């Protein structure tokens, strides 16, 4: 009997549109001969299933069920592809845990920790992993331009601490831009991270593990046409993405080993993607961890799967079946 899979998309952040695109990608990747697939759209209190005829019907939040042709249907598994709250920060994971529905991503604790960039980086710093100097600013607190310059320096990145990296991020080069950048980041998150700029080669590496295998994908090098890898670079083709990355093999191997180690240190589950920057002297510096990475046809993970010579359909089956 086919399992019924919910591809859960949408969310309550600026990345809603990106999430819906990832849902379409997943719908095309997952084996329809093996699973019954439905996209579930969440936005605030609107939770709806997209039926095969394109119409939408509400989800019963008491048990995550829905009605189709007069029949009550339940999901066997949820593939979470919400980039932001409530799907990337542990909230939805807690809901599915309460209902006993297995899901694709990391558990509540890991999701919450990785979603909070400052907390995650400081935690991993304790394991000897290199991260940029940074500080956290919470809503209601202020910081002077001089404090930012003295503690972090310029240029620096000012970004939402809890959220994705597509919105609210500014590369700040001048004193005059500090406060406007903080204000912009606060529109996306109640916490703002101010992080030192690191000059180098930006890369990203995907990974997943099951009970009987470990897969670390080929590394992608990101060459943005913009100041940094912003929304335009990610989704409007304003970057060059090179897989495998142009790295010395010993550096690439260190990145792959570090990716696998971070996966285990945190206790990750499902597909993750870790972003790094390689600075002078081939030093590997962690940028951030994505536990619900983008899954459009042109996203990094599908690119890396192809470069590895794997079938994305098999990868999706691994992720789903490992939860049963």
């Amino acid at each position: 009997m086919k399992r019924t899979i919910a591809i859960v998309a949408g969310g309550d952040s600026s990345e809603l549109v990106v999430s819906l695109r990832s849902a379409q990608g997943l719908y095309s990747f997952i084996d329809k001969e093996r699973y019954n697939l439905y996209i579930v759209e969440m936005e605030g209190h609107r939770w709806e299933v997209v039926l095969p005829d394109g119409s939408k019907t509400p989800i019963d939040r008491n048990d995550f069920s829905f009605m189709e042709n007069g029949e009550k249907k339940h999901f066997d598994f949820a593939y979470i592809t919400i980039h932001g709250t409530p799907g990337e920060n542990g909230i939805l994971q807690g809901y599915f845990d309460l209902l006993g529905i297995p899901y694709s991503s990391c558990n509540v604790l890991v999701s919450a920790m990785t979603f909070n960039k400052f907390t995650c980086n400081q935690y991993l710093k304790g394991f000897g992993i290199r991260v940029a100097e940074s500080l956290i600013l919470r809503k209601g607190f202020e910081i002077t331009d001089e404090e930012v310059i003295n503690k972090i320096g310029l240029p620096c990145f000012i970004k939402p601490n809890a959220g994705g990296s597509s919105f609210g991020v500014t590369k700040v080069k001048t004193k005059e831009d500090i406060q406007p950048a903080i204000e912009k980041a606060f529109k996306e998150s109640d916490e703002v991270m101010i992080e030192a700029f690191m000059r180098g080669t930006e890369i990203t590496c995907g990974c997943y593990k099951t009970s009987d295998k470990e897969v670390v994908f080929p590394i992608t090098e990101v060459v943005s046409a913009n100041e940094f890898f912003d929304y335009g670079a990610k989704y409007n083709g304003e970057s060059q993405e090179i897989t495998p990355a142009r790295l010395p093999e010993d550096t690439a191997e260190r990145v792959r080993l570090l990716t696998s180690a971070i996966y285990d240190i945190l206790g990750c589950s499902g597909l993750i993607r870790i972003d790094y920057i390689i600075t002078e002297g081939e030093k590997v510096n962690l940028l951030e961890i994505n536990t619900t990475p983008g899954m459009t046809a042109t996203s990094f993970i599908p690119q890396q799967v192809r470069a590895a010579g794997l079938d994305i359909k098999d990868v999706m089956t691994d992720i789903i079946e490992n939860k049963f």
Side-chain angles (χ1 to χ4, degrees):
M1 190 177 209
K2 283 186 180 182
R3 289 193 172 109
T4 301
I5 309 294
I7 301 172
V8 185
D12 302 321
S13 76
S14 299
E15 299 201 63
L16 180 147
V17 175
V18 179
S19 172
L20 293 175
R21 287 169 60 183
S22 285
Q24 292 298 329
L26 285 165
Y27 190 85
S28 70
F29 300 150
I30 297 173
D31 189 350
K32 297 176 190 63
E33 295 295 315
R34 186 167 187 151
Y35 305 107
N36 296 313
L37 300 181
Y38 294 85
I39 291 176
V40 175
E41 296 179 359
M42 292 184 178
E43 184 179 7
H45 292 293
R46 181 182 71 83
W47 292 22
E48 294 180 321
V49 179
V50 181
L51 297 175
D53 63 2
S55 64
K56 298 177 183 180
T57 188
I59 285 276
D60 182 344
R61 288 195 288 272
N62 291 300
D63 59 3
F64 203 62
S65 66
F66 66 102
M67 299 296 294
E68 185 178 16
N69 299 324
E71 180 186 351
K72 189 180 182 74
K73 295 196 172 181
H74 293 85
F75 288 109
D76 301 301
F77 181 88
Y79 199 111
I80 301 172
T81 189
I82 292 177
H83 313 309
T85 189
E88 196 172 3
N89 57 357
I91 294 174
L92 203 51
Q93 286 79 356
Y95 167 77
F96 287 131
D97 282 342
L98 287 170
L99 294 180
I101 298 174
Y103 50 86
S104 57
S105 63
C106 300
N107 65 24
V108 173
L109 175 61
V110 178
S111 297
M113 183 187 293
T114 54
F115 191 67
N116 189 300
K117 300 179 183 74
F118 183 82
T119 298
C120 185
N121 284 9
Q122 295 306 308
Y123 176 74
L124 290 172
K125 188 177 180 180
F127 288 85
I129 294 166
R130 295 176 61 92
V131 298
E133 286 298 317
S134 63
L135 56 84
I136 191 78
L137 185 62
R138 294 186 171 89
K139 193 158 273 189
F141 291 83
E142 296 180 353
I143 190 168
T144 66
D145 300 339
E146 288 71 24
E147 285 177 300
V148 172
I149 293 167
N150 291 336
K151 292 179 180 178
I152 301 297
L154 293 178
C156 69
F157 282 102
I158 296 179
K159 61 178 78 172
N161 183 47
S165 299
S166 299
F167 297 93
V169 183
T170 306
K171 182 180 179 182
V172 174
K173 298 179 178 179
T174 67
K175 176 181 174 180
E176 293 72 27
D177 290 337
I178 293 173
Q179 298 304 325
I182 291 172
E183 187 178 335
K184 177 181 176 182
F186 268 132
K187 290 178 180 176
E188 298 291 330
S189 172
D190 287 339
E191 296 180 342
V192 170
M193 184 177 180
I194 303 174
E195 186 176 53
F197 170 73
M198 294 183 290
R199 187 178 303 280
T201 302
E202 191 165 341
I203 60 168
T204 188
C205 183
C207 174
Y208 77 93
K209 299 186 183 187
T210 67
S211 57
D212 60 357
K213 73 168 70 168
E214 171 184 316
V215 180
V216 182
F217 297 120
I219 301 160
T220 300
E221 178 183 347
V222 182
V223 184
S224 176
N226 305 333
E227 280 285 353
F228 61 96
F229 194 54
D230 59 6
Y231 183 90
K234 285 182 182 178
Y235 303 112
N236 296 335
E238 297 163 15
S239 68
Q240 186 181 7
E241 298 165 7
I242 303 162
T243 310
R246 299 169 297 183
L247 295 175
E249 180 50 36
D250 62 331
T251 304
E253 179 64 11
R254 283 194 293 124
V255 170
R256 290 191 290 265
L257 289 172
L258 182 57
T259 299
S260 177
I262 290 172
Y263 194 105
D264 291 339
I265 288 168
L266 292 173
C268 292
S269 183
L271 271 172
I272 70 164
R273 201 192 77 232
I274 305 182
D275 301 340
Y276 304 94
I277 191 158
I278 310 296
T279 53
E280 190 175 357
E282 297 299 310
K283 293 185 174 72
V284 181
N285 305 269
L286 171 68
L287 289 177
E288 65 178 82
I289 298 165
N290 302 275
T291 58
T292 58
M295 290 298 290
T296 70
T298 58
S299 293
F300 289 124
I301 293 291
Q303 286 183 50
Q304 293 175 4
V305 170
R306 289 192 294 271
L310 301 173
D311 188 329
I312 190 75
K313 189 183 292 184
D314 294 336
V315 173
M316 293 296 100
T317 300
D318 280 349
I319 300 298
I320 295 167
E321 293 302 314
N322 189 55
K323 297 290 184 162
F324 294 97

